[in-house]
Amino acid sequence: MAKPAQGAKYRGSIHDFPGFDPGQDAEALYTAMKGFGSDKEAILELITSRSNRQRQEICQSYKSLYGKDLIADLKYELTGKFERLIVGLMRPLAYCDAKEIKDAISGIGTDEKCLIEILASRTNEQIHQLVAAYKDAYERDLEADIIGDTSGHFQKMLVVLLQGTREEDNVVSEDLVQQDVQDLYEAGELKWGTDEAQFIYILGNRSKQHLRLVFDEYLKTTGKPIEASIRGELSGDFEKLMLAVVKCIRSTPEYFAERLFKAMKGLGTRDNTLIRIMVSRSELDMLDIREIFRTKYEKSLYSMIKNDTSGDYKKALLKLCGGDDDAAGQFFPEAAQVAYQMWELSAVARVELKGTVRPVDNFNPDADAKALRKAMKGLGTDEDTIIDIITHRSNAQRQQIRQTFKSHFGRDLMADLKSEISGDLARLILGLMMPPAHYDAKQLKKAMEGAGTDEKALIEILATRTNAEIRAICEAYKEDYHKSLEDALSSDTSGHFKRILISLATGNREEAGEDWDQAREDAQEIADRPSGDKTSLETRFRTILCTRSYPHLRRVFQEFVKMTNYDVEHTIKKEMSGDVRDVFVAIVQSVKNKPLFFADKLYKSMKGAGTDEKTLTRIMVSRSEIDLLNIRREFIEKYDKSLHQAIEGDTSGDFLKALLAICGGED
């Protein structure tokens, strides 16, 4: 079993088996594989219940007793993913890593993701053991093989990591931290082109403790997390490698939690990644990975494995996982630190919001109006021209086109478009043609008319708009529907949910910065929970979440973590239910990272069977000139595929063309 550092608590899920007898275990495995067929249940139960050190002793006893190689017998008796998993467990970690890297660089093509995962995450000692194991197993030099199979800056960084010479001194020089921040800034943001060598030297050699302080200072100095600069300055596999290094410096368990989630989400499972991580981390930090997984993805690692795999393979993976965290339904104290850091990042980062639709240069409303009239005149409609013009003009320019169209032709452009196009394309194009406040007002009206209410649409709009946007929506609603938005909400909703929406619809959120003393008082206010008094709790949350400024709320939520060891979002989900819970969660997520909130909504609108075209259209239209570029970046970071790819795989025809034009590019 891997030994934790002196004074550290063991965080693996696999322990030494008490009363261990390698000879007895070797005999049991021999019996399980003897004769016709094999007893897979007995094999998986025994091997997943022994530590790696004990498994090596079993291998030795097996050879002594039967003159046979246990791994060779297991390979013969087992098949597929289950065989890969069991055989992986039987190898020492360094030899397991060596085999993974050998497979990654053998044959046609290279599995860069495997190389990145292993070399970015291993300690100096683990790297040295890996290099030695590779030499022993394959009689080849690992560095030479890596150089032969990779190139460029990606290759250079891999070679640096292969040296296993990262500084390990926890005494940090403040002057050197400031110097590294300046060097990274000058190598990237301040330079025409990028000095990749500086990134390689600093990120490849400095100690973890030092680099964590560098990342903190970099954020304070530039207003950007180091990850944003890496994405902006580097590209391809080199960019992915450097991001993985940064993630592992910040939190290796969080890096693996994210890798596991991506291995199982969506259609199909990346079994090689799943096996590699479950095997390699089972005696190192599986408990930390589980806790962070539960916090980030609101489900346990155990439950995701259970739903995504099957048979003996599933049973073995669940044994390595070591327990179901959903059973307790708790927020782990160890995860509080991650939540606190998330709020700190949210509070300090100065994110520049960018849309994907911008005013076109040399704009000519007269020519555009004539081109649109021609596209709709006569038999048939030229949808391509309509899409090209409307998706490549800003909203202000579209309003000029509407006015020019009426002046030239005495016709209403909106009415003509309605008669010429239909379905999802019509909803998208007509939405783009409306002024933003009137578009939002219409979406709110549609959410409340007819049988039933679309609470999700109400929440999405009212929980995310600025004061100025809310006030403009209220004016547009009154102008278009001759009724106040507050009266409409009062008629269509009830109870605490109604009071929260009306509070948001006043557009009177404070706009001042953070006040630390007040933040502590506010955190205490929502942290105090008289048992069973849900009404009081919801009222106190409404008073603070619906009125305080975003910068202030970030500090409130940070203080809340310090006071309770819980993230505020977890508390809301645990203590509240229904629409009240959903609107408070939306506010919290919007405060934390609004582009990520919309990225999640877009992903959910397209995942699984069927597409929620209304939500997809509403977000693409309403965010196109505000922060859709930021949403795209959050989308690819979280879901490992671009928004462009998701739209391409889930929509079709002219609707697809228009959405991709608004999306603005492939990441």
Side-chain angles (χ1 to χ4, degrees):
M1 183 171 68
K3 287 193 172 108
Q6 193 167 9
K9 190 178 175 185
Y10 180 68
R11 301 296 294 159
S13 56
I14 299 295
H15 299 260
D16 282 333
F17 187 75
F20 172 61
D21 183 334
Q24 189 176 315
D25 284 351
E27 193 176 329
L29 288 171
Y30 182 77
T31 303
M33 293 186 283
K34 195 168 66 172
F36 184 71
S38 55
D39 185 349
K40 296 183 180 65
E41 186 78 36
I43 293 169
L44 83 84
E45 186 64 37
L46 192 150
I47 290 175
T48 59
S49 301
R50 306 298 185 268
S51 67
N52 193 276
R53 178 186 62 79
Q54 291 175 332
R55 292 181 208 122
Q56 304 320 306
E57 290 187 47
I58 295 169
C59 281
Q60 193 59 51
S61 293
Y62 193 89
K63 186 164 275 188
S64 299
L65 286 169
Y66 305 108
K68 302 176 74 174
D69 182 69
L70 176 55
I71 290 181
D73 280 3
L74 287 166
K75 281 184 176 179
Y76 181 78
E77 292 292 333
L78 309 176
T79 57
K81 295 173 285 190
F82 181 57
E83 177 227 316
R84 188 179 175 93
L85 176 60
I86 293 297
V87 169
L89 287 168
M90 294 308 301
R91 293 190 176 104
L93 176 59
Y95 285 82
C96 195
D97 280 351
K99 175 71 164 64
E100 289 291 320
I101 287 186
K102 187 73 170 69
D103 289 347
I105 57 178
S106 295
I108 299 170
T110 305
D111 183 353
E112 290 86 2
K113 288 183 179 178
C114 173
L115 296 181
I116 290 169
E117 180 195 297
I118 292 174
L119 296 180
S121 65
R122 301 312 192 243
T123 64
N124 286 347
E125 184 183 358
Q126 288 166 345
I127 291 286
H128 297 153
Q129 290 169 352
L130 161 63
V131 171
Y134 192 91
K135 186 82 170 174
D136 180 50
Y138 305 110
E139 298 180 349
R140 296 178 66 87
D141 180 70
L142 178 53
E143 184 178 322
D145 282 358
I146 291 283
I147 289 172
D149 213 66
T150 59
S151 61
H153 297 297
F154 178 58
Q155 177 200 88
K156 289 173 189 170
M157 185 61 178
L158 290 176
V159 169
V160 167
L161 294 173
L162 267 177
Q163 305 316 300
T165 53
R166 184 177 296 284
E167 296 160 3
E168 294 181 330
D169 187 358
N170 282 330
V171 178
V172 177
S173 161
E174 288 185 20
D175 290 342
L176 187 56
V177 167
Q178 293 298 336
Q179 185 61 53
D180 282 350
V181 169
Q182 192 61 34
D183 287 348
L184 287 170
Y185 192 40
E186 289 175 0
E189 298 286 339
L190 295 183
K191 190 178 178 69
W192 181 258
T194 306
D195 182 358
E196 289 87 353
Q198 279 286 20
F199 280 86
I200 290 170
Y201 176 72
I202 294 171
L203 294 182
N205 290 283
R206 299 287 192 240
S207 72
K208 285 193 168 189
Q209 185 63 29
H210 175 90
L211 285 173
R212 285 174 191 137
L213 293 175
V214 169
F215 299 160
D216 289 346
E217 286 302 313
Y218 190 91
L219 179 62
K220 290 174 188 172
T221 301
T222 68
K224 280 186 174 182
I226 187 71
E227 292 91 337
S229 291
I230 288 171
R231 285 191 197 99
E233 299 298 327
L234 311 180
S235 62
D237 292 323
F238 181 47
E239 174 197 343
K240 290 171 188 170
L241 174 58
M242 297 306 257
L243 287 172
V245 169
V246 170
K247 284 175 184 175
C248 289
I249 295 294
R250 290 193 187 278
S251 169
T252 304
E254 186 173 0
Y255 170 71
F256 282 114
E258 185 179 303
R259 292 278 294 156
L260 284 167
F261 177 75
K262 288 179 177 177
M264 291 183 282
K265 72 173 179 62
L267 289 174
T269 304
R270 298 175 194 177
D271 293 292
N272 287 354
T273 301
L274 178 56
I275 291 167
R276 186 170 57 243
I277 297 173
M278 296 302 290
V279 168
S280 66
R281 310 315 292 185
S282 60
E283 294 184 39
L284 296 174
D285 51 8
M286 185 59 71
L287 298 186
D288 293 325
I289 292 168
R290 274 169 45 184
E291 289 166 357
I292 291 168
F293 194 99
R294 177 74 174 79
T295 304
K296 283 191 77 164
Y297 303 113
E298 300 168 26
K299 66 178 80 176
S300 69
L301 176 58
Y302 188 98
S303 67
M304 197 159 184
I305 291 170
K306 193 174 178 181
N307 292 330
D308 213 63
T309 59
S310 60
D312 294 316
Y313 175 54
K314 173 171 80 172
K315 289 176 188 174
L317 286 170
L318 293 178
K319 288 274 287 183
L320 294 180
C321 183
D324 187 0
D325 307 314
D326 278 343
Q330 63 186 34
F331 185 85
F332 294 93
E334 289 85 350
Q337 185 64 28
V338 174
Y340 186 87
Q341 288 168 353
M342 284 178 183
W343 284 114
E344 177 65 24
L345 183 64
S346 178
V348 178
R350 298 191 299 275
V351 179
E352 183 184 359
L353 299 178
K354 289 184 179 178
T356 54
V357 175
R358 301 175 186 87
V360 71
D361 294 332
N362 304 315
F363 173 56
N364 186 336
D366 187 66
D368 284 348
K370 287 175 180 174
L372 287 170
R373 175 67 179 143
K374 184 180 177 184
M376 294 184 284
K377 198 174 176 184
L379 194 63
T381 305
D382 181 357
E383 286 89 355
D384 285 345
T385 295
I386 294 171
I387 291 168
D388 185 56
I389 292 174
I390 291 176
T391 60
H392 291 99
R393 306 295 183 268
S394 68
N395 194 275
Q397 290 175 333
R398 292 182 207 121
Q399 303 317 310
Q400 290 184 56
I401 295 170
R402 282 180 72 175
Q403 189 58 55
T404 303
F405 195 89
K406 184 164 271 186
S407 299
H408 272 341
F409 307 112
R411 301 172 68 91
D412 179 33
L413 176 56
M414 295 285 279
D416 280 6
L417 286 167
K418 273 184 191 176
S419 69
E420 293 293 329
I421 55 177
S422 60
D424 294 327
L425 178 66
R427 277 189 287 274
L428 182 64
I429 294 296
L430 292 169
L432 289 168
M433 290 304 303
M434 296 180 74
H438 289 265
Y439 179 73
D440 278 347
K442 184 175 182 181
Q443 297 307 302
L444 291 169
K445 180 75 164 65
K446 289 175 82 70
M448 292 184 281
E449 67 187 8
T453 304
D454 184 352
E455 291 86 2
K456 288 182 180 177
L458 297 180
I459 291 169
E460 178 203 301
I461 295 169
L462 294 174
T464 61
R465 301 309 193 249
T466 65
N467 283 345
E469 288 167 342
I470 290 284
R471 289 167 191 158
I473 291 167
C474 287
E475 287 179 20
Y477 199 95
K478 184 82 171 174
E479 180 185 334
D480 293 345
Y481 307 112
H482 311 294
K483 183 178 184 179
S484 74
L485 177 57
E486 182 179 330
D487 286 346
L489 291 168
S490 294
S491 302
D492 210 66
T493 58
S494 61
H496 275 289
F497 183 55
K498 176 180 80 174
R499 287 189 280 277
I500 295 164
L501 293 182
I502 288 173
S503 179
L504 293 171
T506 60
N508 284 325
R509 186 180 291 285
E510 295 165 2
E511 295 186 342
E514 61 200 40
D515 178 336
W516 277 101
D517 291 335
Q518 185 62 52
R520 279 186 281 273
E521 286 182 30
D522 288 346
Q524 192 65 60
E525 179 72 12
I526 57 176
D528 289 338
R529 288 175 289 162
S531 58
D533 188 4
K534 286 274 174 68
T535 300
S536 168
L537 180 65
E538 289 166 352
T539 300
R540 282 180 283 128
F541 266 82
R542 186 184 79 240
T543 302
I544 292 165
L545 268 64
C546 296
T547 63
R548 303 289 194 258
S549 71
Y550 272 29
H552 181 79
L553 282 174
R554 291 181 186 116
R555 294 304 185 188
V556 172
F557 299 152
Q558 203 173 6
E559 288 296 311
F560 185 88
V561 176
K562 279 168 69 176
M563 286 177 186
T564 66
N565 233 15
Y566 286 77
D567 186 61
V568 68
E569 188 176 330
H570 173 86
T571 297
I572 290 167
K573 288 174 178 174
K574 185 179 177 186
E575 298 293 330
M576 301 178 198
S577 60
D579 297 328
V580 170
R581 174 199 61 211
D582 293 346
V583 69
F584 281 147
V585 166
I587 293 170
V588 170
Q589 291 178 345
S590 182
V591 170
K592 185 183 288 183
N593 185 337
K594 196 178 288 186
L596 179 58
F597 170 81
F598 284 114
D600 285 339
K601 291 282 180 193
L602 284 170
Y603 178 75
K604 287 171 184 171
S605 76
M606 292 182 279
K607 76 166 187 170
T611 305
D612 179 358
E613 288 88 357
K614 288 182 181 177
T615 299
L616 176 58
T617 299
R618 186 171 59 243
I619 295 174
M620 295 295 287
V621 168
S622 65
R623 310 314 296 182
S624 59
E625 293 184 48
I626 299 173
D627 55 4
L628 190 53
L629 189 61
N630 306 79
I631 292 167
R632 269 172 41 186
R633 288 170 182 161
E634 295 292 348
F635 194 99
I636 195 168
E637 171 65 19
K638 182 163 182 180
Y639 297 109
D640 218 21
K641 69 175 174 180
S642 67
L643 177 58
H644 188 282
Q645 288 171 322
I647 291 169
E648 210 166 31
D650 215 66
T651 60
S652 61
D654 292 323
F655 183 49
L656 165 65
K657 288 180 193 172
L659 285 171
L660 291 182
I662 298 167
C663 183
E666 167 64 285
D667 299 306

